[in-house]
Amino acid sequence: MVGYAFMGAAHSQAWRTVNRVFDLPARARMALICGRDTPKVADAADRLGWDAYTTDWRDLITRDDIDVVDICTPGDSHAEIALAALAAGKHVLCEKPLANTVAEARAMTAAADTARAAGVRSMCGFNYRRVPAVTMMRQLVADGRLGVIRHVRATYLQDWIVDPQFPLVWRLQKDRAGSGALGDIGAHIIDLTQFVTGQRITGVSAVTETFVKERPLPGESSGLAATVDGAGPATGTVTVDDAAVFVARLDGGALATYEASRFATGRKNALRVEINGSLGSVVFDLERLNELEFYDATRPGVEQGFNRILVTEGEHPYMSAWWPPGHIIGYEHSFTHQMRDFIEAVATGADPAPSFADALQVQLVLDAVTRSAEIGSSWTEVEPALTAVAV
Ligand SMILES: NC(=O)c1ccc[n+]([C@@H]2O[C@H](COP(=O)([O-])OP(=O)(O)OC[C@H]3O[C@@H](n4cnc5c(N)ncnc54)[C@H](O)[C@@H]3O)[C@@H](O)[C@H]2O)c1
């Protein structure tokens, strides 16, 4: 694994847990973790359960006993690490968004296609697909329970940079993160809604905004927390969006709205998706991730209404491996499920999803949103991926 902070910890928890919960054809051994700071990565290796540590990610590539490279770094290093790992025959799990640019994402997808021919697998970490209620949402749509999908309404709202004194961390720098709220959290709802509906976004009209344009330089940072550099009053320019809002068309005929913001005061990590179809509607809210709201318009009129389904039965996706019905799960389980599916795919020679090609398609939507916002919200088509895409 490369990176030991927020996603490094979440993925480590999943790697530690996955074989103790799921019966899988292969076992994960947590061989080597990489970070750039020796004392910190040594501490992380000990705390997170890795056998050894290194300060150079190339050590993961050159070691013969390493089969999988898990990339948990900011977007500016995804392409370089993934390309080297795939070329060396390592299976790759890469955090989202796949890359900082479409060009990088295309190169990574081409490398993944070449590697696949040699039996090397790759996957992008859109973990919310693996929340059982989200997987079940997709099944309801696929089974025709919603009929023809007319509307998709998706919001992903946070508030961790509302304070203008919050420092200029890597997530606020375009050269490190690619984009702001758009690529960080907007990417999740783009992938999630395409996954659930089986439809792809074909065009968008977008607005983006950077509300606070200058911020103090950072000291220490990890995940969504950071300190200000105590050395002085220096500031730097925010080069990404704080919020992105767009309307979209999906290739199955649905109209969609998306809102991604880090300025939604009071909203900590509020991901909500509602889908309306000709036969029913379904709603997912991450703050109540064990539940789905389902409206079945085929029921007798006097019985109609939104039903709350508690997605904790053994028949629900992933749930038979966990606890008795009603014994709820949380955020970290989505990562354990991600590792479950990844290990199974690698061990059985199947292609895991979302593939790099799927993630490239998300990147193309991010790109269309950015371009539309730059030209006064004009309608902007999503470029074709030119690679087979399965959502
Ligand atoms: N799936 C999700 O829900 C989710 C949530 C948060 C972040 N992410 C994604 O995960 C990735 C990492 O985000 P994070 O929140 O963990 O960031 P973070 O700042 O918490 O951690 C980044 C880690 O990468 C390390 N790092 C940076 N450059 C490196 C390099 N060249 N070599 C070795 N180590 C390096 C840092 O030292 C740190 O350990 C990003 O792509 C982000 O978009 C995904």
Side-chain angles (χ1 to χ4, degrees):
M1 171 181 288
V2 199
Y4 53 75
F6 182 15
M7 279 307 103
H11 285 215
S12 295
Q13 144 91 18
W15 288 120
R16 281 197 310 271
T17 310
V18 63
N19 287 109
R20 295 165 201 262
V21 177
F22 292 98
D23 188 14
L24 291 169
R27 290 190 76 78
R29 184 170 62 84
M30 296 166 68
L32 184 62
I33 187 166
C34 172
R36 292 160 302 175
D37 180 297
T38 302
K40 287 184 184 167
V41 72
D43 171 68
D46 183 48
R47 198 165 28 85
L48 301 176
W50 293 84
D51 293 347
Y53 61 84
T54 177
T55 52
D56 185 350
W57 60 262
R58 289 167 191 82
D59 292 341
L60 280 77
I61 312 295
T62 50
R63 258 179 59 170
D64 289 341
D65 64 330
I66 289 177
D67 302 308
V68 172
V69 173
D70 183 1
I71 303 171
C72 293
T73 55
D76 60 343
S77 50
H78 289 186
E80 187 183 17
I81 300 171
L83 292 174
L86 289 169
K90 315 290 187 195
H91 309 287
V92 174
L93 173 58
C94 181
E95 259 303 340
K96 48 52 62 180
L98 184 62
N100 278 2
T101 65
V102 165
E104 287 171 350
R106 283 196 193 282
M108 293 166 78
T109 303
D113 286 346
T114 305
R116 182 186 299 116
V120 176
R121 311 289 159 191
S122 46
M123 183 168 115
C124 187
F126 285 110
N127 57 299
Y128 291 128
R129 287 183 175 211
R130 268 89 187 182
V131 174
V134 172
T135 313
M136 178 171 164
M137 220 176 167
R138 174 179 162 95
Q139 286 175 6
L140 286 172
V141 174
D143 291 346
R145 298 296 300 278
L146 268 65
V148 181
I149 304 302
R150 305 294 191 203
H151 287 292
V152 172
R153 215 164 284 114
T155 52
Y156 197 164
L157 308 175
Q158 300 182 337
D159 73 350
W160 56 279
I161 57 170
V162 164
D163 179 355
Q165 291 307 308
F166 187 90
L168 187 67
V169 294
W170 68 263
R171 278 185 166 81
L172 306 183
Q173 300 168 31
K174 186 176 166 65
D175 58 340
R176 304 235 35 222
S179 64
L182 175 62
D184 189 14
I185 52 180
H188 271 301
I189 47 177
I190 292 167
D191 180 72
L192 194 159
T193 52
Q194 295 192 134
F195 170 70
V196 166
T197 61
Q199 296 186 26
R200 278 185 284 155
I201 296 172
T202 56
V204 299
S205 170
V207 285
T208 60
E209 185 56 68
T210 304
F211 298 113
V212 175
K213 295 179 172 51
E214 291 283 321
R215 289 183 177 272
L217 298 180
E220 293 280 312
S221 78
S222 172
L224 304 186
T227 58
V228 173
D229 183 357
T235 62
T237 303
V238 177
T239 45
V240 300
D241 60 282
D242 289 333
V245 179
F246 60 100
V247 295
R249 284 189 182 278
L250 276 66
D251 61 4
L255 297 184
T257 61
Y258 293 84
E259 184 181 7
S261 178
R262 294 164 167 167
F263 271 74
T265 308
R267 298 293 177 196
K268 302 302 167 185
N269 194 44
L271 187 168
R272 187 178 188 280
V273 172
E274 174 166 324
I275 297 174
N276 309 129
S278 56
L279 300 180
S281 292
V282 66
V283 184
F284 172 73
D285 182 343
L286 183 65
E287 291 177 354
R288 308 180 70 148
L289 68 75
N290 289 273
E291 302 173 18
L292 262 193
E293 280 186 81
F294 178 43
Y295 184 99
D296 182 353
T298 66
R299 291 182 67 86
V302 290
E303 293 177 13
Q304 281 181 13
F306 275 95
N307 288 315
R308 168 180 166 268
I309 302 172
L310 192 59
V311 190
T312 57
E313 298 293 323
E315 294 84 357
H316 286 136
Y318 303 104
M319 289 307 291
S320 61
W322 294 104
W323 320 115
H327 293 67
I328 54 178
I329 63 165
Y331 173 70
E332 69 272 27
H333 295 74
S334 64
F335 295 98
T336 309
H337 301 163
Q338 177 169 276
M339 300 327 175
R340 192 215 88 93
D341 293 346
F342 185 71
I343 290 174
E344 187 172 79
V346 166
T348 60
D351 285 324
S355 64
F356 278 16
D358 298 331
L360 165 61
Q361 195 272 335
V362 172
Q363 203 84 39
L364 289 164
V365 176
L366 301 177
D367 180 64
V369 169
T370 304
R371 288 187 289 120
S372 171
E374 284 169 357
I375 53 173
S377 311
S378 292
W379 188 255
T380 303
E381 302 285 332
V382 176
E383 270 182 41
L386 302 178
T387 313
V389 175
V391 288

